[in-house]
Amino acid sequence: MTFDLAALLSGQVFAFMLLFARFGAGFMLLPGIGEPYVPARARLLLAAGFTLLLLPVLSGRLPPIPAQPAEIARLLAIEIIVGLFFGTILRLLLSALETAGMFISFQTGLSNATMFNPAFATQGTLPGALLSTVAVLLLFLTGLEDSLLAGLAGTYDVFLPGAPLIYEDIAGTMAQIMARVFTISAQMAAPFFLIGLLMYVPVGVMNRLVPQLQVLMVVMPLQVGVGLALFGLTITTILMFWLRQFEDIIHGLLLR
């Protein structure tokens, strides 16, 4: 049986497929939408609706329908990679809070107290789980979800459909984002590093002067209490700082 591929994919079907490949891959990892607790059907419907919304705007940028199925598969693979690349960047930025929470838990003596982190569907520290959950909520309360969707649509200004991917640039960007994420995590946990240093130095001196004293039993309640008090005082500043960094990185990459 023979069929005309151009006739089969006539109209806007090919354009919808190409746009949905990128948007669907991005929606899989978007904070708040790509979470494990969000039903897959809901993500599918949101991605399909977003694709239909932008189809008239972006269809003119798409390449013509290829004559060979292999070329169609190549174009779809490129679009999926671009969508995953953008979504991975957002996930890395969200993971900065989990890393900062890990640093905070080490300094406050809560490193062994873990709980289920719904943002990553894994076990995590108490501060990291709280920060990650509240951060996803703040993204929607502050209207930054518009930047996420605009950034996903803005990938068409950076990665032209049908153009070959420059994998070296993608790998370099990912390395820079990972380094930036670690720096942001350390900056958010900086007050706890300072408090930990101020507590551990006197404890070390006390342990040398009075070896018979069970320093750990004496200091641990104080460490936890001071750490929780400091966390309560700085959580708003930590989240606001992360939101500013998140917005700056997204605008710097795709919304210039």
Side-chain angles (χ1 to χ4, degrees), residues 22 73-86 155-156 158-171:
R22 181 179 298 195
R74 185 187 72 85
L75 293 177
L76 291 175
I78 290 176
E79 295 302 302
I80 292 173
I81 291 173
V82 172
L84 293 176
F85 170 68
F86 178 75
T155 56
Y156 283 91
V158 181
F159 300 97
L160 299 179
L165 293 178
I166 304 176
Y167 294 99
E168 294 81 2
D169 291 348
I170 292 178

Side-chain angles (χ1 to χ4, degrees), residues 158-243:
V158 181
F159 300 97
L160 299 179
L165 293 178
I166 304 176
Y167 294 99
E168 294 81 2
D169 291 348
I170 292 178
T173 301
M174 292 297 294
Q176 293 176 6
I177 293 296
M178 293 179 67
R180 182 80 177 273
V181 165
F182 187 82
T183 302
I184 293 172
S185 302
Q187 290 173 337
M188 290 188 291
F192 298 88
F193 290 142
L194 179 60
I195 293 298
L197 180 63
L198 294 177
M199 291 188 61
Y200 288 142
V201 171
V203 167
V205 174
M206 185 185 304
N207 189 39
R208 296 293 295 178
L209 294 176
V210 189
Q212 297 83 5
L213 179 64
Q214 297 294 328
V215 178
L216 181 63
M217 301 298 296
V218 175
V219 175
M220 181 60 70
L222 179 62
Q223 180 186 12
V224 174
V226 172
L228 291 177
L230 182 62
F231 185 65
L233 292 173
T234 59
I235 183 172
T236 303
T237 304
I238 289 173
L239 290 170
M240 291 300 103
F241 174 78
W242 177 82
L243 282 175

Side-chain angles (χ1 to χ4, degrees), residues 1-5 8:
M1 178 182 297
T2 61
F3 60 91
D4 189 351
L5 185 62
L8 181 65

